[in-house]
Amino acid sequence: MESLIQDYCELAPDGASALKDLPRVSPHFTCTMITAIICVYSLPEESSKRPVISSRILEQIIDWMSFDCRLALTSIHQTQYIHSQRPTLWTSPTKPNTQTPIPGLVRWCTRAPLLTALQHSKTDEKSDVQNTTNELQSSAHLWTKLHFCILQTILQFPTIPGAPQLELITLADMTTIVKDVSVLVQRLQSCQATEVAVDRLVQVLQVALATGAFRCSIGDLRVICQTIPPCRLLSIVQNQHLSFAPPPMHNAS
């Protein structure tokens, strides 16, 4: 998959044009490809040995999702249809949702500004560190665009048949995303990057709660809100949702 992505997105001069119409040809394959890209690539960080996502690949994902805001939901719709005769759900609150790229994209968008700030603050000016910092800084506007695409996708979640019995972002996904952001924020002093990351995280949480794309108990939601660094929008979310929890999955018990 990595070779395929590099050949079409980065090496082939006409690769981008070949991939441009991919959502029209096969939405399900395109959605699966985005999910695979998230597994193959990573943001620049010391603990990861995977290749760093490039601006060209990021632009391609944004183009796909801008063309169809329901694109990243295609795999959920297809899977729900295939398993419509089964009495059990294909998602579990205790497990990450690997059927859709949305949780992975949310994790990227919320961590990108924080990693940029961390890399920029390092005194070590090795070429590889400087290159990855420049890569993230130059693609800052792309992360903003991708964040908007994610919100648009979450807003479309209720239109999926059987949405009340599905989860776009599971409790396991949200818990991991929130912890990752909180750890990085603690490593940084309060700055614009931390504000951007926290605002993006809370915006996703707010929209996901409102649309039913994320469901949990009041206790779990309270823990999540307590873990997120405080901000004005978070206070609004707490006032709106901590008095009543999102409806549970039909057979969550």
Side-chain angles (χ1 to χ4, degrees), residues 78-229:
Q78 293 289 339
T79 306
Q80 189 270 345
Y81 174 78
I82 293 173
H83 297 284
S84 59
Q85 301 302 319
R86 296 187 181 182
T88 56
L89 298 172
W90 63 271
T91 55
S92 169
T94 60
K95 297 180 180 179
N97 185 354
T98 58
Q99 300 294 328
T100 170
I102 292 298
L105 293 177
V106 171
R107 188 170 183 264
W108 273 5
C109 280
T110 53
R111 296 172 74 244
L114 298 173
L115 290 174
T116 301
L118 281 174
Q119 295 283 2
H120 185 70
S121 64
K122 287 183 178 180
T123 56
D124 186 0
E125 296 295 333
K126 292 182 179 180
S127 59
D128 57 340
V129 174
Q130 189 64 37
N131 289 338
T132 55
T133 302
N134 293 337
E135 179 71 19
L136 275 174
Q137 289 177 332
S138 63
S139 60
H141 69 288
L142 295 178
W143 293 113
T144 301
K145 291 181 179 179
L146 181 59
H147 175 63
F148 178 76
C149 291
I150 292 171
L151 295 179
Q152 292 295 108
T153 298
I154 298 175
L155 285 171
Q156 294 297 316
F157 177 76
T159 66
I160 296 178
Q165 294 184 339
L166 298 173
E167 287 181 294
L168 182 61
I169 302 174
T170 67
L171 178 59
D173 290 321
M174 187 65 72
T175 300
T176 299
I177 294 169
V178 169
K179 286 183 178 179
D180 286 347
V181 170
S182 298
V183 168
L184 289 175
V185 168
Q186 290 175 2
R187 294 174 59 186
L188 287 165
Q189 295 181 353
S190 179
C191 60
Q192 183 179 5
T194 59
E195 293 178 2
V196 170
V198 173
D199 282 346
R200 287 178 181 173
L201 174 57
V202 179
Q203 286 171 14
V204 169
L205 177 62
Q206 183 182 38
V207 176
L209 287 169
T211 58
F214 171 65
R215 300 179 179 88
C216 66
S217 67
I218 292 181
D220 289 330
L221 183 57
R222 183 175 288 110
V223 170
I224 288 173
C225 291
Q226 291 174 346
T227 306
I228 298 175

Side-chain angles (χ1 to χ4, degrees), residues 1-19 33 36-37 40-42 49-58 60 64:
M1 177 60 72
E2 180 181 350
S3 299
L4 175 65
I5 296 170
Q6 288 182 340
D7 289 345
Y8 278 91
C9 293
E10 302 191 51
L11 301 180
D14 59 343
S17 59
L19 292 175
M33 188 171 183
I37 289 174
V40 171
Y41 291 89
S42 71
K49 297 182 180 180
R50 293 178 293 170
V52 176
I53 185 75
S54 68
S55 296
R56 292 190 63 178
I57 298 177
L58 196 57
Q60 187 64 72
W64 284 338

